Amino acid sequence: QTLFQSPEEGWQLYTSAQAPDGKCICTAVIPAQSTCSRDGRSRELRQLMEKVQNVSQSMEVLELRTYRDLQYVRSMETLMRSLDSRLRVADGSLSAKSFQELKDRMTELLPLSSVLEQYKADTRTIMRLREEVRNLSGSLAAIQEEMGAYGYEDLQQRVLALEARLHACAQKLGCGKLTGVSNPITIRAMGSRFGSWMTDTMAPSADSRVWYMDGYYKGRRVLEFRTLGDFIKGQNFIQHLLPQPWAGTGHVVYNGSLFYNKYQSNVVVKYHFRSRSVLVQRSLPGAGYNNTFPYSWGGFSDMDFMVDESGLWAVYTTNQNAGNIVVSRLDPHTLEVMRSWDTGYPKRSAGEAFMICGVLYVTNSHLAGAKVYFAYFTNTSSYEYTDVPFHNQYSHISMLDYNPRERALYTWNNGHQVLYNVTLFHVISTAGDP
Protein backbone atom coordinates (compact mmCIF):
# COMPACT_ATOMS: atom_id res chain seq x y z
CA GLN A 1 0.00 0.00 0.00
CA THR A 2 1.48 3.35 -1.08
CA LEU A 3 0.65 5.97 1.51
CA PHE A 4 2.61 8.82 -0.09
CA GLN A 5 2.94 9.25 -3.83
CA SER A 6 6.13 11.34 -3.83
CA PRO A 7 8.92 9.38 -2.14
CA GLU A 8 11.47 11.56 -3.92
CA GLU A 9 10.42 14.46 -1.70
CA GLY A 10 11.40 12.90 1.59
CA TRP A 11 12.73 9.97 3.52
CA GLN A 12 10.18 7.26 4.24
CA LEU A 13 10.64 5.36 7.47
CA TYR A 14 8.77 2.48 9.03
CA THR A 15 9.46 1.84 12.72
CA SER A 16 8.24 -1.08 14.75
CA ALA A 17 9.03 -2.51 18.18
CA GLN A 18 8.91 -6.08 16.92
CA ALA A 19 12.40 -7.34 17.68
CA PRO A 20 12.56 -10.27 20.15
CA ASP A 21 14.58 -8.15 22.60
CA GLY A 22 12.07 -5.30 22.41
CA LYS A 23 14.30 -2.98 20.43
CA CYS A 24 12.81 -0.78 17.76
CA ILE A 25 13.21 -1.88 14.13
CA CYS A 26 13.57 0.97 11.65
CA THR A 27 13.32 0.49 7.88
CA ALA A 28 14.23 3.51 5.76
CA VAL A 29 13.35 4.14 2.11
CA ILE A 30 15.81 6.80 0.99
CA PRO A 31 14.60 9.36 -1.57
CA ALA A 32 15.84 8.96 -5.13
CA GLN A 33 17.38 12.43 -5.07
CA SER A 34 18.37 13.57 -1.63
CA THR A 35 20.19 16.78 -0.82
CA CYS A 36 23.53 15.01 -0.71
CA SER A 37 23.02 12.94 -3.84
CA ARG A 38 22.40 16.08 -5.90
CA ASP A 39 25.80 17.46 -4.81
CA GLY A 40 28.52 15.92 -6.98
CA ARG A 41 31.29 17.16 -4.75
CA SER A 42 29.68 15.62 -1.68
CA ARG A 43 29.34 12.33 -3.49
CA GLU A 44 32.98 12.42 -4.57
CA LEU A 45 34.11 13.37 -1.08
CA ARG A 46 32.14 10.48 0.37
CA GLN A 47 33.85 8.07 -2.04
CA LEU A 48 37.24 9.52 -1.14
CA MET A 49 36.50 9.15 2.55
CA GLU A 50 35.67 5.50 1.99
CA LYS A 51 38.97 5.03 0.20
CA VAL A 52 40.85 6.78 3.00
CA GLN A 53 39.13 4.52 5.52
CA ASN A 54 40.11 1.43 3.51
CA VAL A 55 43.71 2.59 3.28
CA SER A 56 43.80 3.31 7.01
CA GLN A 57 42.46 -0.13 7.82
CA SER A 58 45.01 -1.74 5.50
CA MET A 59 47.81 0.22 7.13
CA GLU A 60 46.67 -0.87 10.59
CA VAL A 61 46.62 -4.51 9.55
CA LEU A 62 50.05 -4.16 7.97
CA GLU A 63 51.45 -2.48 11.07
CA LEU A 64 50.17 -5.20 13.37
CA ARG A 65 51.50 -7.96 11.15
CA THR A 66 54.88 -6.26 10.75
CA TYR A 67 55.21 -5.78 14.49
CA ARG A 68 54.41 -9.45 15.06
CA ASP A 69 56.94 -10.62 12.45
CA LEU A 70 59.59 -8.25 13.77
CA GLN A 71 59.30 -9.76 17.24
CA TYR A 72 59.70 -13.20 15.73
CA VAL A 73 62.79 -12.19 13.74
CA ARG A 74 64.36 -10.66 16.85
CA SER A 75 63.81 -13.85 18.80
CA MET A 76 65.44 -15.82 15.97
CA GLU A 77 68.41 -13.46 15.83
CA THR A 78 69.80 -14.79 19.11
CA LEU A 79 69.38 -18.35 17.90
CA MET A 80 71.23 -17.60 14.64
CA ARG A 81 74.16 -16.02 16.51
CA SER A 82 74.42 -19.09 18.72
CA LEU A 83 74.49 -21.37 15.70
CA ASP A 84 77.09 -19.21 14.00
CA SER A 85 79.37 -19.37 17.08
CA ARG A 86 79.10 -23.12 17.32
CA LEU A 87 79.89 -23.57 13.64
CA ARG A 88 82.95 -21.32 13.93
CA VAL A 89 84.48 -23.31 16.79
CA ALA A 90 83.71 -26.69 15.23
CA ASP A 91 86.93 -28.43 14.27
CA GLY A 92 85.45 -30.13 11.23
CA SER A 93 83.79 -32.96 13.05
CA LEU A 94 80.69 -32.97 15.21
CA SER A 95 79.44 -35.56 17.59
CA ALA A 96 76.10 -37.19 16.88
CA LYS A 97 74.58 -35.33 19.81
CA SER A 98 75.89 -31.95 18.68
CA PHE A 99 74.73 -32.63 15.15
CA GLN A 100 71.22 -33.43 16.37
CA GLU A 101 71.14 -30.25 18.44
CA LEU A 102 72.11 -28.17 15.41
CA LYS A 103 69.51 -29.96 13.32
CA ASP A 104 66.83 -29.15 15.88
CA ARG A 105 67.86 -25.51 15.97
CA MET A 106 67.79 -25.35 12.16
CA THR A 107 64.25 -26.74 12.26
CA GLU A 108 63.25 -23.81 14.46
CA LEU A 109 64.50 -21.47 11.76
CA LEU A 110 62.31 -22.95 9.01
CA PRO A 111 59.34 -20.59 9.65
CA LEU A 112 61.61 -17.69 8.73
CA SER A 113 61.04 -18.52 5.07
CA SER A 114 57.32 -17.84 5.34
CA VAL A 115 58.03 -14.64 7.29
CA LEU A 116 60.34 -13.47 4.51
CA GLU A 117 57.66 -14.27 1.93
CA GLN A 118 55.20 -12.21 3.97
CA TYR A 119 57.67 -9.34 3.99
CA LYS A 120 57.79 -9.49 0.19
CA ALA A 121 53.99 -9.38 0.03
CA ASP A 122 53.91 -6.50 2.52
CA THR A 123 56.39 -4.61 0.39
CA ARG A 124 54.03 -4.91 -2.58
CA THR A 125 51.14 -3.77 -0.35
CA ILE A 126 53.13 -0.74 0.77
CA MET A 127 53.80 0.19 -2.86
CA ARG A 128 50.09 -0.15 -3.69
CA LEU A 129 49.05 1.92 -0.68
CA ARG A 130 51.61 4.56 -1.58
CA GLU A 131 50.09 4.80 -5.06
CA GLU A 132 46.60 5.09 -3.60
CA VAL A 133 47.70 7.84 -1.23
CA ARG A 134 49.27 9.70 -4.18
CA ASN A 135 45.98 9.44 -6.13
CA LEU A 136 43.93 10.53 -3.12
CA SER A 137 46.17 13.51 -2.59
CA GLY A 138 45.63 14.59 -6.19
CA SER A 139 41.85 14.18 -5.93
CA LEU A 140 41.66 16.10 -2.66
CA ALA A 141 43.80 18.90 -4.12
CA ALA A 142 41.40 19.18 -7.08
CA ILE A 143 38.37 19.33 -4.80
CA GLN A 144 40.06 21.84 -2.53
CA GLU A 145 40.72 24.06 -5.56
CA GLU A 146 37.07 23.69 -6.67
CA MET A 147 35.73 24.48 -3.19
CA GLY A 148 38.13 27.35 -2.63
CA ALA A 149 35.27 29.82 -2.92
CA TYR A 150 33.97 28.69 0.48
CA GLY A 151 35.77 30.10 3.46
CA TYR A 152 36.14 28.21 6.71
CA GLU A 153 33.33 30.13 8.40
CA ASP A 154 30.98 29.51 5.46
CA LEU A 155 31.69 25.80 5.56
CA GLN A 156 31.21 25.76 9.31
CA GLN A 157 27.81 27.44 8.99
CA ARG A 158 26.76 24.92 6.36
CA VAL A 159 27.78 22.06 8.66
CA LEU A 160 25.87 23.59 11.59
CA ALA A 161 22.78 24.04 9.43
CA LEU A 162 22.95 20.41 8.31
CA GLU A 163 23.34 19.28 11.92
CA ALA A 164 20.26 21.30 12.91
CA ARG A 165 18.23 19.73 10.12
CA LEU A 166 19.44 16.27 11.13
CA HIS A 167 18.42 16.91 14.75
CA ALA A 168 14.98 18.10 13.65
CA CYS A 169 14.55 15.02 11.49
CA ALA A 170 15.51 12.77 14.38
CA GLN A 171 12.89 14.43 16.57
CA LYS A 172 10.22 13.67 13.99
CA LEU A 173 11.02 9.97 14.07
CA GLY A 174 9.05 9.66 17.29
CA CYS A 175 5.77 10.02 15.44
CA GLY A 176 4.20 8.50 12.36
CA LYS A 177 1.11 7.05 10.78
CA LEU A 178 -0.15 3.65 11.89
CA THR A 179 0.35 1.07 9.14
CA GLY A 180 0.43 -2.23 11.00
CA VAL A 181 -0.38 -4.08 14.20
CA SER A 182 1.60 -7.18 15.17
CA ASN A 183 0.29 -10.54 16.27
CA PRO A 184 -0.89 -10.56 19.90
CA ILE A 185 1.49 -11.33 22.75
CA THR A 186 -0.40 -12.79 25.70
CA ILE A 187 1.22 -11.67 28.96
CA ARG A 188 -1.15 -13.26 31.43
CA ALA A 189 -4.69 -14.60 31.93
CA MET A 190 -6.02 -13.00 35.11
CA GLY A 191 -9.28 -11.55 36.36
CA SER A 192 -12.78 -11.26 34.94
CA ARG A 193 -13.92 -10.68 31.38
CA PHE A 194 -13.52 -6.89 31.69
CA GLY A 195 -10.75 -4.76 33.13
CA SER A 196 -7.64 -2.72 32.40
CA TRP A 197 -3.91 -2.88 32.94
CA MET A 198 -1.16 -0.42 32.10
CA THR A 199 2.29 1.03 32.77
CA ASP A 200 3.21 4.68 33.31
CA THR A 201 3.77 6.32 29.92
CA MET A 202 6.00 9.02 31.47
CA ALA A 203 8.14 6.84 33.74
CA PRO A 204 11.85 6.31 32.98
CA SER A 205 12.79 3.06 31.30
CA ALA A 206 14.04 1.60 34.60
CA ASP A 207 10.53 1.93 36.07
CA SER A 208 8.54 -1.05 34.81
CA ARG A 209 5.69 -1.04 37.33
CA VAL A 210 2.37 -2.48 36.18
CA TRP A 211 -1.08 -1.40 37.40
CA TYR A 212 -4.04 -3.77 37.31
CA MET A 213 -7.76 -2.90 37.70
CA ASP A 214 -10.26 -5.75 37.42
CA GLY A 215 -13.88 -5.05 36.44
CA TYR A 216 -15.62 -2.12 34.77
CA TYR A 217 -17.72 -0.45 37.47
CA LYS A 218 -17.77 0.36 41.19
CA GLY A 219 -14.22 -0.95 41.59
CA ARG A 220 -11.79 0.71 43.99
CA ARG A 221 -8.89 -1.75 44.27
CA VAL A 222 -5.78 -1.05 42.17
CA LEU A 223 -2.86 -3.49 42.30
CA GLU A 224 0.64 -2.12 41.66
CA PHE A 225 3.23 -4.73 40.62
CA ARG A 226 6.92 -3.89 40.90
CA THR A 227 7.84 -5.19 37.43
CA LEU A 228 6.25 -6.86 34.44
CA GLY A 229 7.89 -10.10 35.52
CA ASP A 230 6.23 -9.79 38.93
CA PHE A 231 2.88 -9.17 37.23
CA ILE A 232 3.30 -12.34 35.18
CA LYS A 233 4.10 -14.33 38.33
CA GLY A 234 1.50 -12.56 40.48
CA GLN A 235 4.04 -11.51 43.13
CA ASN A 236 5.57 -8.37 44.70
CA PHE A 237 2.57 -6.05 44.55
CA ILE A 238 0.91 -3.46 46.75
CA GLN A 239 -2.72 -2.41 46.85
CA HIS A 240 -4.23 1.05 46.45
CA LEU A 241 -7.81 1.61 47.60
CA LEU A 242 -9.31 4.51 45.67
CA PRO A 243 -11.43 6.94 47.71
CA GLN A 244 -14.03 6.99 44.92
CA PRO A 245 -15.04 4.05 42.68
CA TRP A 246 -14.40 3.96 38.95
CA ALA A 247 -16.59 3.43 35.91
CA GLY A 248 -15.52 1.77 32.66
CA THR A 249 -12.03 0.60 31.72
CA GLY A 250 -10.64 3.74 30.12
CA HIS A 251 -8.15 4.54 32.87
CA VAL A 252 -4.57 5.65 32.28
CA VAL A 253 -1.45 6.13 34.43
CA TYR A 254 0.44 9.29 33.54
CA ASN A 255 3.45 10.71 35.40
CA GLY A 256 2.73 8.89 38.65
CA SER A 257 -1.03 9.51 38.75
CA LEU A 258 -4.10 7.52 37.77
CA PHE A 259 -6.74 9.30 35.68
CA TYR A 260 -10.19 7.68 35.76
CA ASN A 261 -13.94 8.34 35.48
CA LYS A 262 -15.75 8.53 38.80
CA TYR A 263 -18.67 6.08 38.95
CA GLN A 264 -22.11 7.49 37.96
CA SER A 265 -20.70 10.88 36.99
CA ASN A 266 -18.82 12.71 34.25
CA VAL A 267 -16.09 13.61 36.74
CA VAL A 268 -12.42 13.01 35.94
CA VAL A 269 -10.35 12.02 38.98
CA LYS A 270 -6.57 12.37 39.27
CA TYR A 271 -5.27 10.03 41.98
CA HIS A 272 -1.61 10.29 42.99
CA PHE A 273 -0.10 6.89 43.84
CA ARG A 274 2.81 8.01 46.01
CA SER A 275 0.75 10.27 48.28
CA ARG A 276 -2.32 7.99 47.99
CA SER A 277 -4.56 11.00 47.54
CA VAL A 278 -6.79 12.72 44.97
CA LEU A 279 -4.92 15.74 43.63
CA VAL A 280 -7.75 17.16 41.54
CA GLN A 281 -11.13 16.21 40.07
CA ARG A 282 -13.26 18.00 37.51
CA SER A 283 -16.38 17.44 35.42
CA LEU A 284 -16.10 17.17 31.65
CA PRO A 285 -18.74 19.63 30.39
CA GLY A 286 -21.65 17.83 28.74
CA ALA A 287 -19.92 14.43 28.72
CA GLY A 288 -22.25 11.43 28.76
CA TYR A 289 -21.85 8.84 31.50
CA ASN A 290 -23.50 5.76 33.04
CA ASN A 291 -23.78 3.89 29.71
CA THR A 292 -25.28 6.86 27.85
CA PHE A 293 -22.65 6.82 25.08
CA PRO A 294 -20.44 3.76 25.62
CA TYR A 295 -18.39 1.80 23.10
CA SER A 296 -20.18 -1.04 21.33
CA TRP A 297 -19.43 -3.47 24.19
CA GLY A 298 -21.10 -1.27 26.85
CA GLY A 299 -19.49 -1.57 30.27
CA PHE A 300 -19.88 2.09 31.33
CA SER A 301 -17.20 2.94 28.76
CA ASP A 302 -18.57 6.46 28.19
CA MET A 303 -15.26 8.16 29.03
CA ASP A 304 -11.86 6.93 27.84
CA PHE A 305 -8.59 8.55 28.89
CA MET A 306 -5.45 8.21 26.77
CA VAL A 307 -1.84 9.38 26.60
CA ASP A 308 0.28 9.71 23.47
CA GLU A 309 3.47 11.55 22.52
CA SER A 310 1.78 14.94 22.98
CA GLY A 311 0.03 14.47 26.32
CA LEU A 312 -3.27 13.58 28.01
CA TRP A 313 -6.53 13.09 26.10
CA ALA A 314 -10.17 12.34 26.87
CA VAL A 315 -12.48 10.56 24.43
CA TYR A 316 -16.20 10.81 25.13
CA THR A 317 -19.52 11.98 23.68
CA THR A 318 -22.06 14.71 24.40
CA ASN A 319 -25.71 15.19 23.52
CA GLN A 320 -24.68 18.30 21.62
CA ASN A 321 -22.51 16.16 19.35
CA ALA A 322 -25.36 13.72 18.69
CA GLY A 323 -23.48 10.73 20.04
CA ASN A 324 -20.35 11.28 17.92
CA ILE A 325 -16.90 10.86 19.44
CA VAL A 326 -15.36 14.00 20.92
CA VAL A 327 -11.59 14.22 21.47
CA SER A 328 -10.29 16.72 24.04
CA ARG A 329 -6.79 17.68 25.11
CA LEU A 330 -6.65 17.93 28.91
CA ASP A 331 -4.27 19.86 31.11
CA PRO A 332 -2.80 17.06 33.29
CA HIS A 333 -2.46 19.42 36.26
CA THR A 334 -5.90 21.07 36.32
CA LEU A 335 -7.90 18.66 34.10
CA GLU A 336 -9.25 21.65 32.19
CA VAL A 337 -10.15 21.11 28.53
CA MET A 338 -7.55 22.83 26.37
CA ARG A 339 -9.18 22.08 23.00
CA SER A 340 -11.82 19.74 21.59
CA TRP A 341 -12.59 18.12 18.22
CA ASP A 342 -15.83 16.54 16.96
CA THR A 343 -14.75 13.52 14.93
CA GLY A 344 -18.18 12.80 13.43
CA TYR A 345 -17.82 9.07 14.21
CA PRO A 346 -20.66 7.51 16.26
CA LYS A 347 -19.25 6.18 19.51
CA ARG A 348 -21.69 3.29 19.81
CA SER A 349 -20.34 1.97 16.49
CA ALA A 350 -16.76 1.92 17.82
CA GLY A 351 -15.29 -1.16 19.46
CA GLU A 352 -12.43 0.72 21.14
CA ALA A 353 -10.11 3.65 20.37
CA PHE A 354 -6.55 4.83 21.06
CA MET A 355 -4.34 7.86 20.33
CA ILE A 356 -0.98 7.85 18.52
CA CYS A 357 0.82 11.11 17.68
CA GLY A 358 -2.34 13.21 17.93
CA VAL A 359 -4.36 10.83 15.75
CA LEU A 360 -7.41 9.01 17.12
CA TYR A 361 -7.67 5.46 15.77
CA VAL A 362 -11.03 3.69 16.10
CA THR A 363 -11.77 -0.02 15.74
CA ASN A 364 -15.01 -1.10 14.08
CA SER A 365 -15.75 -3.83 16.61
CA HIS A 366 -14.71 -5.34 19.93
CA LEU A 367 -15.35 -8.86 18.64
CA ALA A 368 -13.44 -11.26 16.36
CA GLY A 369 -12.61 -9.77 12.96
CA ALA A 370 -12.06 -6.29 14.36
CA LYS A 371 -9.75 -3.87 12.56
CA VAL A 372 -8.63 -0.25 12.85
CA TYR A 373 -11.27 1.32 10.66
CA PHE A 374 -11.20 5.10 11.21
CA ALA A 375 -8.54 7.74 11.90
CA TYR A 376 -9.07 11.35 12.97
CA PHE A 377 -6.14 13.78 12.65
CA THR A 378 -6.31 16.53 15.26
CA ASN A 379 -3.54 18.57 13.62
CA THR A 380 -5.65 19.06 10.46
CA SER A 381 -9.15 18.38 11.88
CA SER A 382 -9.65 15.80 9.15
CA TYR A 383 -10.38 12.08 8.99
CA GLU A 384 -10.00 9.06 6.78
CA TYR A 385 -11.18 5.47 6.75
CA THR A 386 -8.43 2.92 7.23
CA ASP A 387 -8.00 -0.83 6.96
CA VAL A 388 -5.44 -2.04 9.52
CA PRO A 389 -6.32 -5.57 10.65
CA PHE A 390 -5.24 -7.13 13.91
CA HIS A 391 -5.85 -10.52 15.45
CA ASN A 392 -8.51 -10.41 18.18
CA GLN A 393 -7.35 -13.70 19.69
CA TYR A 394 -9.85 -14.00 22.56
CA SER A 395 -12.80 -12.36 20.77
CA HIS A 396 -13.81 -9.68 23.29
CA ILE A 397 -11.69 -6.54 23.77
CA SER A 398 -12.82 -4.29 26.63
CA MET A 399 -9.72 -2.08 26.88
CA LEU A 400 -7.28 -0.87 24.22
CA ASP A 401 -4.62 1.76 24.95
CA TYR A 402 -1.39 2.93 23.32
CA ASN A 403 1.80 3.39 25.32
CA PRO A 404 4.16 5.84 23.54
CA ARG A 405 7.13 4.88 25.71
CA GLU A 406 6.98 1.27 24.55
CA ARG A 407 5.23 1.87 21.21
CA ALA A 408 2.78 -0.89 22.03
CA LEU A 409 -0.96 -1.41 22.47
CA TYR A 410 -2.16 -2.71 25.83
CA THR A 411 -5.40 -4.69 25.68
CA TRP A 412 -7.70 -6.56 28.03
CA ASN A 413 -9.19 -9.35 25.97
CA ASN A 414 -11.72 -11.62 27.66
CA GLY A 415 -9.71 -11.96 30.86
CA HIS A 416 -6.33 -11.97 29.11
CA GLN A 417 -3.75 -9.20 29.30
CA VAL A 418 -2.32 -8.83 25.80
CA LEU A 419 0.25 -6.64 24.01
CA TYR A 420 0.47 -5.63 20.35
CA ASN A 421 3.45 -3.92 18.75
CA VAL A 422 2.70 -1.25 16.16
CA THR A 423 4.41 -0.13 12.95
CA LEU A 424 4.47 3.59 12.16
CA PHE A 425 5.21 5.25 8.82
CA HIS A 426 7.24 8.47 8.58
CA VAL A 427 8.02 10.91 5.79
CA ILE A 428 10.89 13.26 6.59
CA SER A 429 11.15 16.23 4.23
CA THR A 430 14.58 16.90 2.70
CA ALA A 431 13.64 20.05 0.82
CA GLY A 432 13.37 23.44 2.49
CA ASP A 433 12.89 23.65 6.23
CA PRO A 434 12.78 20.35 8.04
Side-chain angles (χ1 to χ4, degrees), residues 132-152:
E132 288 189 25
V133 170
R134 185 182 298 112
N135 294 336
L136 287 172
S137 299
S139 300
L140 288 172
I143 292 177
Q144 184 179 17
E145 183 179 355
E146 182 182 357
M147 299 181 68
Y150 295 102
Y152 172 77

Side-chain angles (χ1 to χ4, degrees), residues 308-357:
D308 71 350
E309 291 78 0
S310 55
L312 178 65
W313 303 82
V315 171
Y316 56 99
T317 300
T318 68
N319 285 317
Q320 182 181 358
N321 294 92
N324 292 329
I325 292 178
V326 175
V327 182
S328 292
R329 275 289 304 275
L330 300 183
D331 185 317
H333 304 289
T334 65
L335 300 182
E336 293 180 347
V337 175
M338 301 166 63
R339 184 179 174 184
S340 295
W341 293 261
D342 182 354
T343 66
Y345 193 92
K347 191 163 186 287
R348 286 184 174 273
S349 299
E352 270 289 345
F354 54 92
M355 295 288 297
I356 299 180
C357 301

Side-chain angles (χ1 to χ4, degrees), residues 278-313:
V278 173
L279 298 184
V280 62
Q281 55 184 344
R282 183 183 296 272
S283 296
L284 270 180
Y289 62 94
N290 205 29
N291 264 344
T292 303
F293 299 111
Y295 289 123
S296 61
W297 64 274
F300 296 87
S301 56
D302 303 77
M303 298 168 63
D304 195 359
F305 302 103
M306 310 171 183
V307 171
D308 71 350
E309 291 78 0
S310 55
L312 178 65
W313 303 82

Side-chain angles (χ1 to χ4, degrees), residues 186-192 212 231-232 394 412-418:
T186 301
I187 302 300
R188 189 178 181 188
M190 176 182 179
S192 64
Y212 169 91
F231 173 70
I232 294 173
Y394 304 106
W412 187 293
N413 195 335
N414 214 355
H416 298 78
Q417 293 73 49
V418 181

Side-chain angles (χ1 to χ4, degrees), residues 148 174 197 208 224 246 257 269 293 334 338 359 376 385 403 414:
W197 71 295
S208 59
E224 176 187 312
W246 72 69
S257 294
V269 179
F293 299 111
T334 65
M338 301 166 63
V359 180
Y376 186 87
Y385 288 94
N403 188 309
N414 214 355

